[in-house]
Amino acid sequence: MTTDTALPTQLVHHPYRAPAEFDAVPVGVFKASTVLFPNVAAVRQRRWQDKSAYTYGLHGTPTTFTLEERIATLEGGHHCVLAPSGLAAVALVDMAFLRAGDEVLIPHNAYGPNLAFAAVELAHWGIRHRTYDPMRPDDLAMQLTPQTRLVWLEAAGSITLEFPDVPALVAQVQAHNARCASTEAQLRPTVTVLDNTWGAGVAFCGFDLGADVVMQALTKYPSGGADVLMGSVVTRDERLHHALLMTHMRLGLGVSGNDAELVLRGLPSLQLRYRAQDASTRQLAQWMQQQPGVARVLHPALPGTPGHATWRRDAQGAACLFTVVFDDAIPAERIDAFCDNLRLFRLGYSWAGPMSLCMPYDRADMRGRDWPHAHGPVRFAVGLEAVTDLQADLKQALAVLSAA
Ligand SMILES: *Cc1c(COP(=O)(O)O)cnc(C)c1O
């Protein structure tokens, strides 16, 4: 503390304190495992659960508390917890609301790893999953049982981009809860959770569509940089938030201050990026529809895509994804060659970053969906490049489809 201690001690316990009035546009990046308490009374009194104080790095820092509040606002909710990836956020929701003997319902076109987590990990814990057709609320109604405790929703569907009637699906769950109100199930009503990665809090508000819990892969739009992995789970309901917060704590899920900083840096430009990528994507999807060899283009703004009318009713915008189905007559190798010939669209997973991406899926990946085509689809994620350059890239690569 003072000069009567040795240098190694002074370098840890230094007396200088920077003035507290520093103020700038970005939020400070705070990093800690240990958080210091001024006295024993503070150790006993401090509460991290309501963000009124700090106790330990895993329980939050000024940086992560600030990001949680901004993501809650983005989603139109009141409470947020952060997870180290979108998939970790999916798993957190499952573990917070499901017990041995319960069932979870997942749309058959859901994000693949969500289904895989249920099929393998949840099965190990004695939790069953079933899939339902998200375009048929009557099918969801048929799959609901007294054991169903959680229903996943996703709009638009992963890869195939059908846009479901979320309010109609939620209405089935609410009717089910009302029917079970006199039974033991009343104590734990079925919760609905929307994976809102596609809408990103921009195209629609998940809570306004009726979801109880809204999850998002912040890896995609909120980061926007293709350089960070993170997920969020937002609620309006205090009781649901408490369940999530306690499971989150017991699992030891945390995010680093540096990663939180990257997402905080992406948030102010989120809407601008979403709108710009939306405009480029619609232009390319429409153009692609007219190209020889293309059987179908899937994008909710195109009238031929299932759920187009619902998308028009419920959404004010669309994400940067469109999916192409090639003619059955085209040899599979030509489709691979087309993907390999693209120069600006690079092969890679994820989306909503600066670089345009392309990913071919196998027919086997479409298992469980209605898929009448010979080939698996190719999904495109449009980045921030000039749309004229992207169109020229698609055009030059399409030439291999008709090559002799
Ligand atoms: C990417 C994605 C996830 C998972 O996010 P990660 O951060 O990559 O784990 C979940 N749901 C959807 C719809 C996604 O696109």
Side-chain angles (χ1 to χ4, degrees):
M1 316 260 163
T2 54
T3 46
D4 58 0
T5 55
L7 181 62
T9 308
Q10 287 176 33
L11 290 181
V12 179
H13 298 266
H14 200 281
Y16 176 75
R17 291 285 172 274
E21 301 81 36
F22 183 76
D23 199 7
V25 177
V27 179
V29 182
F30 289 86
K31 297 187 249 187
S33 49
T34 300
V35 169
L36 300 174
F37 300 87
N39 51 45
V40 174
V43 174
R44 300 207 169 115
Q45 277 158 21
R46 280 194 187 176
R47 306 224 359 113
W48 58 273
Q49 289 89 339
D50 61 1
K51 291 192 180 41
S52 62
Y54 307 102
T55 54
Y56 187 57
L58 266 182
H59 302 159
T61 65
T63 314
T64 60
F65 279 180
T66 303
L67 179 55
E68 284 169 357
E69 290 298 306
R70 291 186 188 185
I71 297 296
T73 299
L74 170 68
E75 298 279 29
H78 302 319
H79 312 282
C80 172
V81 293
L82 299 173
S85 68
L87 184 54
V90 168
L92 167 65
V93 172
D94 285 340
M95 287 187 275
F97 296 118
L98 296 168
R99 315 269 180 276
D102 290 349
E103 284 179 3
V104 54
L105 294 180
I106 306 177
H108 63 43
N109 60 356
Y111 178 65
N114 181 337
L115 276 160
F117 183 79
V120 181
E121 303 299 333
L122 293 180
H124 288 164
W125 295 91
I127 297 158
R128 261 176 65 114
H129 85 284
R130 296 161 187 263
T131 58
Y132 69 92
D133 181 348
M135 304 310 287
R136 286 185 44 210
D138 64 311
D139 185 51
L140 172 63
M142 263 164 16
Q143 308 280 356
L144 284 160
T145 73
Q147 284 72 46
T148 311
R149 287 293 178 274
L150 188 65
V151 175
W152 278 95
L153 307 157
E154 204 173 313
S158 214
I159 306 175
T160 37
L161 303 173
E162 303 90 344
F163 202 91
D165 188 337
V166 174
L169 294 169
V170 169
Q172 296 295 348
V173 178
Q174 286 168 348
H176 174 77
N177 280 337
R179 277 195 302 277
C180 295
S182 55
T183 69
E184 183 256 352
Q186 180 194 17
L187 296 170
R188 292 173 54 218
T190 307
V191 171
T192 54
V193 50
L194 174 74
D195 182 335
N196 202 22
T197 305
W198 186 93
V202 176
F204 47 81
C205 170
F207 296 104
D208 289 351
L209 297 188
D212 298 316
V213 177
V214 177
M215 167 264 148
Q216 188 177 156
L218 305 181
T219 306
K220 309 284 168 51
Y221 276 109
S223 135
D227 53 1
V228 62
L229 292 154
M230 202 178 295
S232 59
V233 184
V234 175
T235 47
R236 281 184 175 171
D237 180 291
E238 190 72 48
R239 199 181 48 83
L240 296 178
H241 172 65
H242 185 75
L244 286 158
L245 191 65
M246 291 299 112
T247 300
H248 182 267
M249 175 194 66
R250 291 184 199 104
L251 287 169
L253 299 179
V255 302
S256 85
N258 293 94
D259 286 351
E261 177 198 22
L262 289 176
V263 179
L264 282 164
R265 193 178 158 110
L267 283 181
S269 62
L270 168 62
Q271 289 231 8
L272 294 174
R273 288 183 282 108
Y274 197 95
R275 301 282 177 226
Q277 283 167 285
D278 179 357
S280 300
T281 306
R282 286 194 219 192
Q283 195 176 321
L284 292 173
Q286 268 159 12
W287 178 83
M288 201 69 176
Q289 261 188 327
Q290 280 128 46
Q291 304 313 305
V294 171
R296 256 182 112 181
V297 177
L298 300 168
H299 182 291
L302 297 177
T305 298
H308 167 70
T310 311
W311 171 80
R312 286 185 58 149
R313 185 192 71 190
D314 289 346
Q316 293 82 45
C320 60
L321 301 172
F322 70 93
T323 296
V324 172
V325 186
F326 289 101
D327 282 340
D328 288 356
I330 292 177
E333 317 80 70
R334 293 251 174 108
I335 298 173
D336 289 356
F338 160 78
C339 295
D340 284 335
N341 273 26
L342 289 162
R343 292 168 196 152
L344 299 179
F345 285 89
R346 301 292 306 273
L347 288 164
Y349 291 105
S350 197
W351 40 279
M355 187 185 285
S356 292
L357 300 170
C358 155
M359 184 52 65
Y361 289 88
D362 291 333
R363 244 191 136 261
D365 297 323
M366 301 293 105
R367 246 189 339 256
R369 307 180 203 212
D370 183 20
W371 193 253
H373 309 283
H375 302 298
V378 178
R379 192 184 73 180
F380 295 86
V382 178
L384 292 166
E385 302 95 331
V387 68
T388 46
D389 291 331
L390 294 174
Q391 187 171 310
D393 190 33
L394 292 168
K395 190 169 178 167
Q396 64 81 23
L398 281 168
V400 305
L401 291 184
S402 49

